Amino acid sequence: MSKQQPSAMPWFETANPIPRNRKTVTVIGAGISGCTVAAALKKRGFNVTVVDRHNHAGAEASGNPEGIVYPKLSPRDDLLPRVNLAAIQFASHYYQPFWDSGLGRQCGVLVVPENEKARRDFKLISERYADQTEMVKTIAHGQLEALSGVPLQAESALYFPQLGWLPPQLICEQLLKLNDIPLVQADIHSLEYSEQQQSWQLLDANKQLVIETESAIIASAFDCKKFSQTAYLPLRKIRGQITQLPCTPESSKMKMVVCGECYITPAEEGLHGCGATYNKDLFTTELRDIDHQTNLAQIAATDAGLAAVLGNPTNEKLTGRANFRCTTSDYLPIAGPVPDRGAMLEDYAKLRRDAKTPMTTLGAYLPNLYVNCGMGSRGLSYAPLTAELLAAEIAGEKTILNDTLPEELCQAMHPVRFLIRDLKRNRI
Ligand SMILES: Cc1cc2nc3c(=O)[nH]c(=O)nc-3n(C[C@H](O)[C@H](O)[C@H](O)COP(=O)(O)OP(=O)(O)OC[C@H]3O[C@@H](n4cnc5c(N)ncnc54)[C@H](O)[C@@H]3O)c2cc1C
């Protein structure tokens, strides 16, 4: 059993603090989650390697030609919109050098309400964030066309001037290149801890050693479930397809991203990007015409004025890309140390009988093993922040994020939350 200390939620504290002399880190996964955390650690002086089963970064979910830094605010004080606000504020600064160098565009994001409830919520959101107009402001119908460049029919919309779109695949590549981080191509099948070497061994399908590393970060999206240490995480794999459609003379005047039932980007090299579909029971990356049609229908449902300027492109004119999101049951990402599940189930067994049992045992964690995944549909928004959170934790900078990310928001993204929740519900 671990040592004792009073705390309302002792599972968030580790009974086995990280030795600070560990400077060699390997990240499994070269998507936006892996590349952002690799860069954040490299900047702190760590010796970082990224491993991916592909020979280049951003080959799976993070491989789309464009992705939106997408806001999801709420009039309520829930954890999800609070994390989202912290994330988009952080991301808008984080991506500034990329936008300045011509990757993507900080063109602003306009969100139109999808229904009557969203309309009411938007009003409350603009009241709630009235003192943060640099982040979000309400635009009345009369100003929408002048601002967006297209004759939107919405009554009003929320405008996020500091956000925009980015090419995720290029961002992943740039993060590795600019920070001089090597990418090793290997499909990792398991991780084993060597007590003797005090290191993690990353093994391939033949149990051959690929890399030995002091610390490891699992950033392999849904494939976190492949590793015994993170198999318990409640992740889902959700297919999505984007559609790229040709611009028309009217639609080429569009100045910013418009979001509603879907998103659509301003034209770039003659094409608008639009997406995306959601399919939870389909596991192919082949493009489907039916999904292109769904995306077009979602544009029409977002705003009839927008659909009108885009015309009716035929299927032959549409291109796109399909891949898989990795979502969590509470829609928040997962970033933090990997719990020692067996020890935690034993240490906190009393929670099964009474969720309010006062506990004093600190959390048991696997040595120097971390996870960064579950970005859902908002990897571009969340990854810079979760990367900073993880890198600060690994480097022992306990207070760095306090202003941006209060402790309860860190806890909302902590990997142990699912174990404790399920114990309290007597489900495990
Ligand atoms: C159609 C679509 C549209 C989207 N639009 C947006 C958007 O507009 N804005 C937004 O913010 N988000 C969007 N998303 C979500 C976003 O793409 C994801 O949240 C994000 O890319 C997740 O990044 P990741 O690094 O966690 O996962 P990934 O990018 O999937 O990276 C995981 C990496 O791990 C590697 N890997 C996995 N297992 C192993 C293994 N065993 N060994 C070695 N390597 C391994 C994979 O090869 C992959 O490169 C969209 C997603 C889809 C599918």
Side-chain angles (χ1 to χ4, degrees):
M1 294 279 266
S2 322
K3 73 174 168 161
Q4 312 278 298
Q5 187 175 299
S7 156
M9 295 183 283
W11 41 83
F12 287 119
E13 290 171 52
T14 176
N16 37 345
I18 312 148
R20 299 279 169 231
N21 56 350
R22 312 251 137 191
K23 283 287 184 189
T24 303
V25 184
T26 301
V27 180
I28 305 172
I32 195 75
S33 306
C35 294
T36 47
V37 76
L41 283 163
K42 188 70 195 263
K43 286 192 174 120
R44 287 169 167 83
F46 284 80
N47 176 10
V48 190
T49 302
V50 174
V51 185
D52 199 285
R53 57 186 165 209
H54 300 279
N55 66 0
H56 66 278
E60 299 203 357
S62 309
N64 287 344
E66 70 273 316
I68 316 306
V69 183
Y70 193 79
K72 184 74 185 166
L73 301 188
S74 161
R76 288 162 291 283
D77 203 25
D78 300 336
L79 290 168
L80 183 60
R82 286 178 61 202
V83 169
N84 185 272
L85 178 64
I88 59 174
Q89 284 175 328
F90 191 81
S92 68
H93 294 289
Y94 186 89
Y95 293 123
Q96 195 68 59
F98 296 100
W99 279 318
D100 290 347
S101 73
L103 285 177
R105 276 206 272 159
Q106 191 180 25
C107 51
V109 171
L110 196 65
V111 187
V112 299
E114 293 169 38
N115 49 40
E116 195 43 48
K117 181 179 175 303
R119 235 184 301 283
R120 285 196 302 271
D121 276 358
F122 278 19
K123 196 161 174 293
L124 297 172
I125 289 170
S126 56
E127 284 164 18
R128 183 170 179 175
Y129 295 99
D131 59 342
Q132 295 189 47
T133 47
E134 74 293 349
M135 177 47 70
V136 56
K137 51 184 128 191
T138 302
I139 308 295
H141 174 76
Q143 302 162 300
L144 276 179
E145 183 167 358
L147 183 76
S148 69
V150 281
L152 296 173
Q153 292 188 3
E155 277 174 33
S156 65
L158 289 180
Y159 176 48
F160 297 80
Q162 295 177 0
L163 306 183
W165 69 270
L166 292 141
Q169 203 248 321
L170 295 179
I171 300 296
C172 292
E173 280 182 353
Q174 286 292 305
L175 284 167
L176 299 191
K177 191 170 162 216
L178 296 173
N179 293 289
D180 202 14
I181 298 168
L183 175 68
V184 172
Q185 186 180 8
D187 196 345
I188 305 301
H189 272 242
S190 58
L191 286 91
E192 284 178 11
Y193 189 66
S194 158
E195 288 287 351
Q196 201 185 4
Q197 306 291 334
Q198 299 215 330
S199 64
W200 285 98
Q201 300 186 336
L202 277 48
L203 309 174
D204 67 13
N206 302 316
K207 291 245 164 209
Q208 293 300 305
L209 180 67
V210 175
I211 281 187
E212 184 152 6
T213 180
E214 288 171 341
S215 305
I217 301 175
I218 303 176
S220 51
F222 183 77
D223 279 33
C224 290
K225 291 195 81 66
K226 195 164 164 177
F227 305 117
S228 60
Q229 295 86 354
T230 42
Y232 83 92
L233 292 171
L235 302 175
R236 288 177 79 188
K237 190 170 177 171
I238 304 208
R239 183 186 183 277
Q241 180 172 314
I242 58 157
T243 299
Q244 290 189 294
L245 61 158
C247 68
T248 63
E250 294 76 33
S251 76
S252 64
K253 294 178 189 149
M254 186 175 165
K255 293 187 216 160
M256 58 193 54
V257 177
V258 179
C259 300
E261 293 279 341
C262 64
Y263 70 76
I264 177 149
T265 57
E268 192 75 14
E269 295 180 9
L271 292 175
H272 294 282
C274 158
T277 57
Y278 282 79
N279 291 105
K280 55 182 187 324
D281 302 315
L282 188 65
F283 300 105
T284 170
T285 53
E286 299 245 318
L287 287 177
R288 303 194 320 158
D289 285 347
I290 187 172
D291 290 335
H292 284 323
Q293 291 310 319
T294 301
N295 282 332
L296 294 184
Q298 284 180 340
I299 297 177
T302 296
D303 194 283
L306 190 58
V309 295
L310 288 162
N312 291 309
T314 53
N315 264 341
E316 308 79 68
K317 298 220 163 122
L318 306 176
T319 54
R321 185 174 183 276
N323 214 272
F324 304 98
R325 305 171 185 88
C326 165
T327 65
T328 61
S329 47
D330 56 13
Y331 303 103
L332 283 162
I334 301 173
V338 176
D340 181 337
R341 186 173 184 272
M344 291 259 202
L345 292 186
E346 208 177 296
D347 287 352
Y348 300 117
K350 285 185 181 155
L351 294 174
R352 290 192 183 107
R353 280 203 310 276
D354 178 2
K356 295 201 171 122
T357 312
M359 302 298 311
T360 51
T361 308
L362 299 187
Y365 289 89
L366 297 173
N368 306 312
L369 186 65
Y370 304 86
V371 60
N372 192 29
C373 71
M375 302 289 154
S377 301
R378 303 204 161 76
L380 281 174
S381 299
Y382 292 138
L385 187 64
T386 61
E388 196 66 12
L389 169 65
L390 259 183
E393 164 136 11
I394 294 170
E397 301 161 8
K398 277 284 174 210
T399 55
I400 190 165
L401 286 167
N402 276 0
D403 291 343
T404 320
L405 208 55
E407 198 173 9
E408 57 179 320
L409 299 192
C410 301
Q411 292 173 350
M413 296 187 277
H414 200 289
V416 81
R417 68 189 192 267
F418 305 107
L419 281 182
I420 300 301
R421 181 199 64 191
D422 289 350
L423 274 168
K424 287 181 171 180
R425 293 177 184 171
N426 199 12
R427 283 196 188 151
I428 47 173

